[in-house]
Amino acid sequence: MYVTISEEFIEKSADVPTLFRQIEEQGYAVLPGIATGRQTESVASDLGEPMAPWHDAVMQALTPRAASTPNTYSGIFGLGRFPFHTDLAHWSLPPRFLLLRCVRGYADVPTLLMDGHKIASAVGRDTMARALVKPRRRQHGELRMHRLLQAVDGGEVIRWDEVYLKPASPVGNQVSVRLQSLIDQSAPTPVAMIDDGDLLIIDNWRMLHARPAIAQNRRDRRLERVYLRSLK
């Protein structure tokens, strides 16, 4: 199901809370053509507070690659299907929102979404909050434990990444197996951005997302990504 919010909604500051409500209710919103003819960074700044995740550019270009550096999804999965995950799940506090802008898209290469709230309810929130996981590698010399459901001011963070997070306790192992089984059994929501300027905003503390396999004639698919600390 698409959430469509017209460009004029965004241009009226009074309607920006409407966008937030849409995301709050279902974890994402689609804004067709909102960024046509505009720079992604500029649109992101209008909607929220952008952040540079690796002390470099705020915006990252996402294009399918058959091969890449080993410690990346493209390096591991190439043009194959990316697994469901939340972005930067191994961080102590992952980015709040994920903005994707379509530069070149295809209806048959959608972004796949899955509601983490439903998964948490099926697993059991208390159980999921006791499930400890750890990053695959040390960060800054430390190997900090995380919980698959973490309470924070104003809400909770659901984190999942079968590549970058590994179970760190018996409950963590039990819940990881259960969570992966639920993902495999659930039907995702496909959100296709087709035209230049289409935007998708995802609540990264709630929604898991994935990418289907890329056919050879779809290798020119291009999205631009900006992380947001908050929405305005």
Side-chain angles (χ1 to χ4, degrees):
M1 177 179 178
Y2 280 29
V3 176
T4 58
I5 299 175
S6 70
E7 184 168 1
E8 64 179 353
F9 271 32
I10 298 305
E11 291 179 345
K12 297 176 182 177
S13 60
D15 291 315
V16 171
T18 302
L19 167 67
F20 188 82
R21 284 197 299 274
Q22 295 280 357
I23 297 173
E24 188 175 52
E25 289 173 0
Q26 61 182 26
Y28 69 96
V30 179
L31 303 123
I34 192 71
T36 303
R38 299 184 62 192
Q39 296 294 317
T40 301
E41 297 95 322
S42 174
V43 178
S45 295
D46 286 347
L47 294 175
E49 181 186 0
M51 57 180 287
W54 298 284
H55 306 292
D56 53 10
V58 168
M59 187 273 290
Q60 299 91 45
L62 307 178
T63 55
R65 298 179 182 177
S68 185
T69 51
N71 194 34
T72 63
Y73 265 35
S74 291
I76 298 170
F77 300 103
L79 299 179
R81 181 182 181 277
F82 285 4
F84 278 95
H85 63 282
T86 56
D87 269 15
L88 302 175
H90 57 292
W91 281 21
S92 296
L93 189 64
R96 183 71 173 87
F97 298 100
L98 171 67
L99 181 150
L100 296 175
R101 175 189 189 274
C102 176
V103 177
R104 184 172 182 81
Y106 295 97
D108 57 355
V109 190
T111 296
L112 304 174
L113 299 176
M114 196 167 290
D115 192 343
H117 282 181
K118 293 181 180 179
I119 292 174
S121 295
V123 172
R125 275 184 156 72
D126 291 343
T127 303
M128 200 161 162
R130 290 190 290 112
L132 292 176
V133 293
K134 60 184 179 183
R136 184 178 61 170
R137 296 179 177 177
R138 294 180 180 274
Q139 296 179 293
H140 309 294
E142 296 183 351
L143 197 61
R144 299 187 62 179
M145 303 292 179
H146 303 300
R147 298 180 186 276
L148 288 178
L149 190 152
Q150 173 187 346
V152 296
D153 288 342
E156 61 187 20
V157 177
I158 293 172
R159 65 176 82 234
W160 176 248
D161 193 315
E162 67 178 69
V163 175
Y164 292 100
L165 293 178
K166 299 301 177 186
S169 69
V171 176
N173 185 65
Q174 173 190 344
V175 171
S176 293
V177 171
R178 171 65 171 152
L179 198 152
Q180 186 63 60
S181 176
L182 288 168
I183 291 173
D184 294 341
Q185 296 172 26
S186 300
T189 299
V191 177
M193 292 185 291
I194 301 171
D195 298 320
D196 182 12
D198 290 351
L199 282 190
L200 169 63
I201 300 177
I202 301 170
D203 182 346
N204 191 50
W205 287 2
R206 170 177 173 178
M207 304 297 289
L208 284 64
H209 65 277
R211 189 204 73 185
I214 302 294
Q216 288 296 325
N217 63 349
R218 296 293 187 257
R219 294 183 64 172
D220 60 345
R221 178 183 189 248
R222 179 185 169 99
L223 303 179
E224 293 179 344
R225 178 182 63 199
V226 174
Y227 293 116
L228 300 173
R229 288 191 179 87
S230 63
L231 292 176
K232 289 183 177 177

